[in-house]
């Protein structure tokens, strides 16, 4: 049996003799800008919560809703997840989780705190009434891969080597100084090792596109303050379509809404995050905008 | 100085001698269906968190993002909020809160757990770039008040007496058996005592409209599993415009997105919740649908 890079890198290991504690290593390969990708941290958090809430014949293995508040910038290296079951119910269970690292002085520092509602996605009804439509995208071969990013940008964004992302050419004007101003990013996603998507991976996918601020012509990173993801169905094997949109940049903050669609055209995940634009980081991103 | 009903009913009182514990009384006047309105619980939670995070000259008084996971149905009566400061930062602070009650056997039972990011809405920049537009509504006098609801429905929904809500006539077809099928509710909101809106009240307002499932022709209550609200600006005095939408009902769950606009046409709050449709409650609501 092959272990894919994604599963190896996001593994959490129950700590012997200590209940609800999990050892992990935050992978430097998922670094983007100054920190580790927030979606990947969400997937790792969800692994620890699945261990807490998913066991037994009456367990709830699947994340339905995960809300994370990001407290400080996570660094590559050792980390601990601590989980707590808040309520084990008949149809859903609720839990909390914390991601902790040790700072340079040996003190514990919290990276994120999360709340989650878990259930069983296989047990859901088939009744679907949706007004949502998948984004229209050119075929993957006509889209723009992450290898088109300038070398300086790639150098500080190892994460781009861990994903196979093909952006709609209409959304990459910012790469050559002509952002569309629409506040939208969309593209095809898969893992390069061709691992099939599952609910755990969807929690990463909701946060892998470039910030929609780039498409608004606003340079600088947009660190996430809060991100909540809903997993609405188990994804079919194959390519995922992802769209990120913002409607309201104001007061130095913006919301970023993500949708993930599976190969069968079903809306499998939705997320919204509140991000802060840090214009003092603009110099980092000017490289990309001028690229 | 007048204390408005809303402020009196949502008050939380620091418990003498016990740090980060607050006594409260969940008001039966905000009962809707089987429980207390989830938005009101969010406002009360935010009051406790403001006491935890907002104090001092470097405190952060305003909720920017609050995520609540609803664990069990809250009942009118005594309640305790417990808060925890997770991180006190320069521009934002993060906290957690739990709402607890005592069950019939005298055991503590948790109603909701919340995470929050607090900041200072007065200190934000004026730069606004928005594609969002306020909902178009007929004048309040041409809209449908909650007094139009059938008496049986009003009898089990005291909350409707606590709000002055005027729904767009296009969104109330479900009252006479002809739902639009669009999955949208919109209307004007104010408190009947004419208390001006503030960030705290916005957390209630994101959850005061009837479930959008009614407009889809799906009867039954839609209890909230998770609700995250973003407060984007301090609202101006005057009437609020509120819109709720869903795009995807699937697997027995739906997302409900809410926007709240102030009298100056600014988008002051956004929220998304994941709700579950409990069709076994349909008999309760048939009254309303057949009304």
């Amino acid at each position: 049996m092959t272990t894919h890079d994604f599963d190896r890198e996001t593994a959490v290991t129950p700590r012997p003799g200590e209940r609800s504690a999990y050892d992990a290593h935050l992978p430097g390969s998922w670094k983007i800008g100054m920190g580790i990708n927030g979606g990947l941290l969400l997937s790792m958090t969800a692994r620890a919560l699945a261990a807490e809430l998913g066991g037994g014949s009456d367990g709830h293995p699947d994340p339905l809703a995960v809300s994370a508040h990001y407290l400080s910038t996570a660094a590559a290296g050792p980390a601990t997840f601590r989980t707590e079951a808040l309520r084990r119910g008949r149809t859903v269970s609720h839990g909390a989780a914390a991601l902790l690292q040790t700072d340079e002085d040996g003190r514990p520092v919290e990276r994120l705190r999360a709340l989650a509602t878990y259930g069983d996605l296989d047990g859901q009804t088939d009744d679907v009434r949706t007004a949502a439509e998948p984004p229209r995208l050119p075929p993957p071969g006509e889209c723009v891969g992450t290898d088109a990013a300038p070398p300086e940008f790639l150098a500080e964004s190892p994460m781009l080597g861990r994903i196979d992302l093909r952006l709609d050419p209409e959304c990459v004007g910012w790469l050559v100084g002509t952002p569309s101003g629409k506040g939208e990013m969309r593209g095809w996603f898969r893992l390069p090792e061709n691992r099939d998507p599952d609910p755990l991976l969807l929690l990463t996918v909701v946060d892998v596109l470039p910030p929609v601020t780039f498409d608004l012509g606003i340079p600088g990173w947009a660190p996430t303050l809060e991100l909540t993801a809903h997993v609405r169905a188990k994804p079919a094997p194959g390519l995922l379509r992802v769209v990120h949109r913002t409607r309201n940049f104001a007061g130095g903050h913006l919301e970023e809404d993500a949708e993930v669609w599976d190969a069968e055209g079903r809306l499998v995940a939705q997320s919204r995050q509140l991000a802060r634009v840090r214009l003092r980081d603009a110099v980092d991103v000017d490289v990309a905008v001028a690229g």
Side-chain angles (χ1 to χ4, degrees), chain A:
Chain A
M1 179 181 155
T2 310
T3 300
H4 292 285
D5 288 345
F6 179 79
D7 298 293
R8 186 174 45 75
E9 296 193 315
T10 58
V12 304
T13 309
R15 188 176 296 170
E18 194 173 345
R19 215 185 121 56
S20 301
Y22 303 84
D23 291 307
H25 186 96
L26 306 187
S29 54
W30 280 82
K31 199 160 170 282
I32 179 85
M34 297 186 301
I36 309 295
N37 174 258
L40 191 86
L41 300 180
L42 209 60
S43 291
M44 297 182 77
T45 304
R47 269 199 203 285
L49 282 162
E52 177 75 47
L53 303 172
S57 61
D58 57 351
H60 293 119
D62 301 317
L64 302 183
V66 185
S67 310
H69 287 241
Y70 293 79
L71 311 185
S72 59
T73 305
T80 301
F81 289 92
R82 293 192 181 277
T83 57
E84 179 190 2
L86 302 177
R87 179 172 175 269
R88 298 180 195 275
R90 194 174 53 83
T91 54
V92 297
S93 292
H94 304 273
L99 165 58
L100 301 150
Q101 291 193 297
T102 302
D103 72 7
E104 291 165 0
D105 301 320
R107 287 175 300 213
V109 54
E110 188 164 349
R111 299 309 189 195
L112 73 81
R113 183 74 66 99
L115 295 174
T117 299
Y118 271 57
D120 185 350
L121 288 167
D122 288 330
Q124 295 190 339
T125 67
D126 290 332
D127 186 11
V128 175
R129 306 187 204 182
T130 187
E133 289 186 13
R136 290 170 194 276
L137 291 171
E142 296 173 21
C143 289
V144 179
T146 51
D147 49 344
E152 302 88 341
F153 192 64
L154 285 171
E156 66 168 19
S157 306
M159 181 190 102
L160 300 181
R162 274 291 183 261
I163 62 178
D164 186 349
L165 182 64
R166 310 273 163 158
L167 292 174
D168 188 325
E170 286 185 8
C171 304
V172 297
W174 52 274
L175 274 169
V176 291
T178 55
S180 85
K182 290 180 183 167
E184 183 167 322
M185 294 275 172
R186 49 184 189 271
W188 301 93
F189 176 91
R190 60 168 198 162
L191 286 175
E193 64 260 34
N194 240 340
R195 174 193 181 280
D196 285 331
D198 63 5
L200 212 71
L201 178 60
L202 295 180
L203 298 176
T204 293
V205 179
V206 296
D207 197 37
V208 292
L209 267 56
V212 290
T213 40
F214 289 4
D215 188 47
L216 290 177
I218 300 170
W221 295 111
T224 306
L225 292 172
E226 180 273 333
L227 191 158
T228 296
H230 298 166
V231 178
R232 302 299 305 274
K234 284 194 174 175
L239 287 176
L240 297 170
R241 277 168 288 183
V242 193
V243 59
H244 280 212
R245 288 188 195 95
T246 189
R247 298 173 65 226
N248 194 58
F249 171 81
H253 296 95
L254 74 156
E255 94 286 5
E256 255 191 89
D257 289 352
E259 292 177 357
V260 186
W261 298 78
D262 75 1
E264 292 178 359
R266 286 183 312 165
L267 179 53
V268 289
Q270 289 174 297
S271 77
R272 174 172 290 169
Q273 64 174 276
L274 184 67
R276 180 159 46 124
V277 172
R278 309 215 306 195
L279 290 172
R280 62 193 164 100
D281 300 327
V283 66
D284 294 335
V285 176
D286 276 346
V287 174
V289 173

